[in-house]
Amino acid sequence: MNSTKCRQVADNKTTESGFTLIELLVVLAIIGLLAGLVGPQVMKHLGGAKSKTAKVQIGDISQALDMYRLDVGSYPSSDQGLAALVNNPGGSNAWNGPYLSKNNVPKDPWNNEYHYRSPGEHGNFDLYSYGLDNRQGGNGEAQDINSWE
């Protein structure tokens, strides 16, 4: 006998066992249907996770800015930017940084720089990301995420 599985039939004939083409097509159709239904839901949650990550990062950077202000007496200027949290911008002996872990300013989840303005239009400073499209406004993943809301 060859290496394929065979079984004995009542009249001493052997038949090969396996899946028929129809069975395989049905299984592939079911997998395709599940992928079509589940895939968009997974992508929707993935986008939501990036927005939540940006909110958490903005919160962490805001806390670092508050610690900077406690030491130096003011928030970094817009010109100094967020880099003042990891490198002493000079002009003050009270700088006690770096104020961010890993000694770098993180990028937003879409790999864009966070936008920082001090003094801000909405508070002492404005810290925000424009989302996926890196442009003001938008919906879904392209929605702006900021420190004042």
Side-chain angles (χ1 to χ4, degrees):
M1 284 205 183
N2 61 16
S3 62
T4 59
K5 291 184 180 179
C6 297
R7 67 179 170 184
Q8 203 76 24
V9 182
D11 59 356
N12 288 333
K13 292 183 181 176
T14 58
T15 60
E16 293 185 23
S17 61
F19 296 108
T20 65
L21 180 60
I22 299 291
E23 291 170 329
L24 290 174
L25 289 174
V26 168
V27 169
L28 288 174
I30 291 170
I31 291 172
L33 181 65
L34 288 174
L37 294 173
V38 174
Q41 296 300 319
V42 170
M43 295 307 289
K44 180 175 74 173
H45 290 291
L46 179 64
K50 285 186 175 187
S51 296
K52 289 177 184 174
T53 300
K55 288 179 185 178
V56 168
Q57 284 181 328
I58 285 174
D60 290 345
I61 296 170
S62 295
Q63 289 177 345
L65 286 164
D66 289 338
M67 290 189 314
Y68 178 97
R69 184 186 60 82
L70 287 173
D71 288 346
V72 176
S74 65
Y75 290 104
S77 68
S78 295
D79 291 336
Q80 292 170 327
L82 297 174
L85 297 174
V86 293
N87 297 312
N88 188 344
S92 174
N93 294 330
W95 190 85
N96 195 24
Y99 297 93
L100 292 171
S101 62
K102 300 182 184 175
N103 294 335
N104 67 3
V105 178
K107 291 187 176 185
D108 71 11
W110 301 277
N111 207 29
N112 298 313
E113 301 288 333
Y114 281 102
H115 302 274
Y116 172 74
R117 180 174 43 230
S118 178
E121 295 177 6
H122 304 278
N124 292 321
F125 63 87
D126 293 347
L127 179 61
Y128 51 97
S129 167
Y130 284 139
L132 175 65
D133 63 356
N134 202 27
R135 289 185 288 182
Q136 190 172 3
N139 295 318
E141 263 194 276
Q143 180 178 354
D144 299 348
I145 301 161
N146 53 56
S147 61
W148 57 88
E149 290 179 357

